[in-house]
Amino acid sequence: MKINGILFLLLVFLLSACGGRKQNSQQQTQAPVSAEKSAEMANHPGKKVYASFCLACHMADGSGVPGMHPPLIQTEWVTGDKERLINITLKGMSGKIEVNGETYNSIMPPHSHLSDKQIADVLTYVRKSFGNNASEVMIEEVQKVRNK
Ligand code: HEC
């Protein structure tokens, strides 16, 4: 009688332990696909360049600061012509511009002190993060614009 009781408790313990493990593995396989995509950019070298040189103004999620620093989400400068985007990064930007319906009239400092690789990396990161899905920027493309 006593042994039966112990065996019963052991069985209950084993069953609940198995159940717990099953739940964990189910949670792992159900990870959303979008998390994989952002994980790819999470390890991209451009993320570090962004954190050091762009994040303070354009924010970690690229949303900018209303009335001060424009967003980098689905803007024509970010996802459009690469030469123009490289030029903005190298030489900075000033004067009145309208970004996604909001007017900005501020100053972005030049970033020509960054290497061609750093600029290629950060612009690839920006063009593929924050919901953007544009092509990558190559080191040679930055070189060409810098030497123009
Ligand atoms: C000191 C703040 C500051 C920093 C640092 C900065 N920006 Fe900007 N950026 C601005 C401002 C302000 C503008 C708008 C300038 C204007 O009003 O003409 C701008 C405009 C832009 C634009 C064009 C408009 C848009 O929103 O699409 C892009 C692209 C851009 N920045 C990318 C970058 C990248 C990439 C970096 C890092 C390498 C960076 N910026 C660093 C302040 C900054």
Side-chain angles (χ1 to χ4, degrees):
M1 206 52 198
K2 211 174 179 189
I3 289 180
N4 267 352
I6 291 169
L7 276 178
F8 177 70
L9 279 179
L10 201 71
L11 195 70
V12 168
F13 171 73
L14 280 175
L15 276 176
S16 62
C18 284
R21 216 174 296 145
K22 207 171 175 186
Q23 230 175 16
N24 273 346
S25 67
Q26 251 170 11
Q27 270 167 0
Q28 269 166 14
T29 51
Q30 277 169 4
V33 182
S34 59
E36 274 174 36
K37 250 199 158 175
S38 56
E40 193 188 315
M41 276 297 118
N43 296 322
H44 193 276
K47 187 177 182 179
K48 273 200 184 137
V49 184
Y50 185 84
S52 308
F53 300 101
C54 321
L55 184 148
C57 295
H58 293 287
M59 299 293 119
D61 60 355
S63 61
V65 178
M68 276 180 80
H69 310 305
L72 302 178
I73 303 168
Q74 301 285 330
T75 80
E76 57 182 290
W77 293 270
V78 170
T79 59
D81 182 60
K82 286 198 240 180
E83 185 175 330
R84 181 172 60 178
L85 177 60
I86 294 166
N87 258 321
I88 291 173
T89 312
L90 282 170
K91 298 177 184 160
M93 193 180 201
S94 62
K96 210 169 167 180
I97 54 161
E98 199 185 305
V99 183
N100 295 351
E102 251 205 79
T103 305
Y104 296 85
N105 191 359
S106 194
I107 295 170
M108 165 161 157
H111 287 78
S112 53
H113 55 285
L114 298 180
S115 70
D116 293 339
K117 181 179 182 332
Q118 281 177 310
I119 292 181
D121 283 346
V122 76
L123 293 183
T124 297
Y125 174 76
V126 166
R127 280 165 66 89
K128 289 183 181 293
S129 300
F130 321 137
N132 300 328
N133 194 12
S135 61
E136 58 191 290
V137 173
M138 314 299 269
I139 295 174
E140 298 74 42
E141 291 175 293
V142 180
Q143 243 163 22
K144 230 169 112 186
V145 177
R146 197 197 290 266
N147 295 331
K148 248 187 181 175

